[in-house]
Amino acid sequence: MIFDLHMHSRASDGTLAPAEVVKLAAACGVDVMALTDHDATDGVAEARAEAGQLGVGFVAGVEVSVTWNGRLLHIIGLGIDERHPDLQQGLAGLREARRARAFKMAEKLERSGIPDALARVGEYANGPVISRTHFARFLVDAGYVATPEQAFRRYLRRGKRAYVPMQWAPLEQAIGWINGAGGTAVIAHPLRYGLGPQRLRAMVADFKACGGEAIEVIGSGHDPSEYQRLARLANEFGLLASCGSDFHDPAGRVLPGRYPALPDDCVTIHERVHASLAAAARGVAQHTSRPAA
Ligand code: AMP
Ligand code: MN
Ligand code: MN
Ligand code: MN
């Protein structure tokens, strides 16, 4: 069975509608998927309905922006009840901070001789979340840079002209929202934060102490030669091993589910995901069998 537990739609910085993400995942042979948009669950209902049509296993997800020791981390919630009020209130606060950041980023670009960024970026961000990815697409299409990577290198990365420092959710709070909504917290792409071995272990230890339960062993930006190392890290801290493509765009480098199986010596997140699939199915059954009032 192929699991892909990390994917984006237009509800954040992906380019496909939620149903289109599910169709592509199915076409790529994915059996079980999670939609994990940044700081939003607006795509979940549409994706879940499409997955039901296509016979793809589906769990609701989210990728929460976190600040830990002054650094950005991404913490995924899998198998969440996306209606949970504390989770939704927390995510709404992050989206509001994103809107305020976009305004400041546009001002900075204006001062660098790039006018109208806010209005133009609005054409790309047609969901609830406004992301640096949308700024990158605008900068490419308007001819200021050749590629999104160049947009990040020249304008959007920490210390660059349009960068605005952010205070995202504290780690403990983000994990609290996820666990409170019945989900499992997962460290996304642990090797993409530029942490040395010691700080990486400190981060994983804090994550575990706050109630986090899983870590991506196969994740975006991980070289296959690093899977074994991450499997050992997962085992050492008693974390479940997860896997996901971090799919954003069919024109990009990654497609859903296109990676090897998790290493044999991992305790995979698969059982946990099956349990939340079963719970969701029971929820639907209860819901549909309830007599009309
Ligand atoms: P934000 O959450 O709005 O700060 O934007 C971060 C998003 O930008 C990530 O989720 C990635 O999808 C994307 N991103 C980060 N770095 C790069 C890069 N160097 N090139 C292209 N996209 C990137
Ligand atoms: Mn993204
Ligand atoms: Mn991420
Ligand atoms: Mn992601």
Side-chain angles (χ1 to χ4, degrees), residues 13 38 74 98 101 131-133 149 152 248:
D13 61 349
H38 298 285
H74 283 169
R98 286 177 168 280
R101 175 183 67 163
S131 163
R132 283 185 293 168
T133 311
E149 287 72 22
F152 275 86
H248 282 73

Coordinates of all heavy atoms in Angstrom, one line a residue, residues 13 38 74 98 101 131-133 149 152 248, ligand 1:
D13 N -0.8 26.7 -0.7 CA 0.1 27.2 -1.7 C 0.3 26.1 -2.8 O 1.3 26.2 -3.6 CB 1.5 27.6 -1.2 CG 2.2 26.5 -0.5 OD1 1.6 25.5 -0.2 OD2 3.4 26.8 -0.2
H38 N -1.1 24.3 4.4 CA -0.5 25.2 5.4 C -1.6 26.0 6.2 O -2.3 26.8 5.6 CB 0.5 26.2 4.8 CG 1.6 25.7 4.1 ND1 2.7 25.1 4.7 CD2 1.9 25.5 2.7 CE1 3.6 24.7 3.8 NE2 3.1 24.9 2.6
H74 N 7.8 23.1 10.6 CA 6.4 22.7 10.1 C 6.0 21.4 10.9 O 6.7 20.4 10.8 CB 6.5 22.5 8.6 CG 6.4 23.8 7.8 ND1 6.7 23.8 6.5 CD2 6.2 25.0 8.2 CE1 6.6 25.1 6.1 NE2 6.3 25.8 7.1
R98 N -0.4 36.0 8.5 CA 0.1 35.9 7.1 C -0.4 37.1 6.3 O 0.3 37.6 5.4 CB -0.5 34.6 6.4 CG 0.2 33.3 6.9 CD -0.4 32.1 6.2 NE 0.5 30.9 6.4 CZ 1.5 30.6 5.7 NH1 1.9 31.4 4.7 NH2 2.3 29.6 6.0
R101 N 1.6 40.0 7.2 CA 3.0 39.9 6.6 C 3.0 40.2 5.1 O 3.9 40.9 4.6 CB 3.5 38.4 6.8 CG 4.8 38.2 6.1 CD 5.3 36.8 6.2 NE 4.5 35.8 5.5 CZ 4.9 34.6 5.2 NH1 6.0 34.2 5.5 NH2 4.0 33.8 4.5
S131 N 0.8 33.0 1.0 CA 2.1 32.4 1.2 C 3.2 33.1 0.4 O 3.0 33.7 -0.6 CB 2.0 30.9 0.8 OG 3.3 30.4 0.7
R132 N 4.5 32.9 0.9 CA 5.6 33.4 0.1 C 5.6 32.7 -1.2 O 6.2 33.2 -2.2 CB 6.9 33.1 0.9 CG 7.2 34.1 2.0 CD 8.5 33.9 2.6 NE 8.5 32.6 3.3 CZ 9.6 32.0 3.8 NH1 10.8 32.6 3.6 NH2 9.6 30.9 4.5
T133 N 5.1 31.5 -1.3 CA 5.0 30.8 -2.6 C 4.3 31.6 -3.7 O 4.6 31.7 -4.8 CB 4.4 29.4 -2.5 OG1 4.9 28.7 -1.4 CG2 4.5 28.6 -3.7
E149 N 12.8 29.4 -7.1 CA 14.0 29.2 -6.2 C 14.7 30.6 -6.2 O 15.2 31.0 -5.1 CB 14.9 28.1 -6.7 CG 14.4 26.7 -6.4 CD 13.2 26.3 -7.3 OE1 13.0 26.9 -8.4 OE2 12.5 25.4 -6.9
F152 N 13.1 33.1 -4.0 CA 13.4 32.9 -2.6 C 14.8 33.4 -2.3 O 15.0 34.1 -1.3 CB 13.2 31.4 -2.2 CG 11.8 31.1 -1.8 CD1 10.9 30.8 -2.7 CD2 11.4 31.2 -0.5 CE1 9.5 30.5 -2.4 CE2 10.1 30.9 -0.1 CZ 9.2 30.6 -1.1
H248 N 3.1 20.0 -4.3 CA 2.4 21.3 -4.5 C 1.9 21.5 -5.9 O 0.9 22.3 -6.0 CB 3.5 22.4 -4.2 CG 3.8 22.7 -2.8 ND1 4.5 21.8 -2.0 CD2 3.4 23.7 -2.0 CE1 4.7 22.4 -0.8 NE2 4.0 23.5 -0.7
Ligands
AMP1 P1 5.4 30.6 3.9 O1 4.8 29.5 4.7 O2 4.4 31.5 3.3 O3 6.5 31.3 4.6 O4 6.1 29.9 2.6 C1 6.9 28.8 2.7 C2 6.6 27.9 1.5 O5 7.5 28.4 0.5 C3 7.0 26.5 1.7 O6 5.9 25.8 2.2 C4 7.4 26.0 0.4 O7 6.3 25.5 -0.3 C5 7.9 27.3 -0.3 N1 9.4 27.4 -0.4 C6 10.2 27.5 0.6 N2 11.5 27.7 0.2 C7 11.4 27.6 -1.2 C8 12.4 27.6 -2.2 N3 13.7 27.8 -2.0 N4 12.0 27.5 -3.5 C9 10.6 27.3 -3.8 N5 9.7 27.3 -2.8 C10 10.1 27.4 -1.5

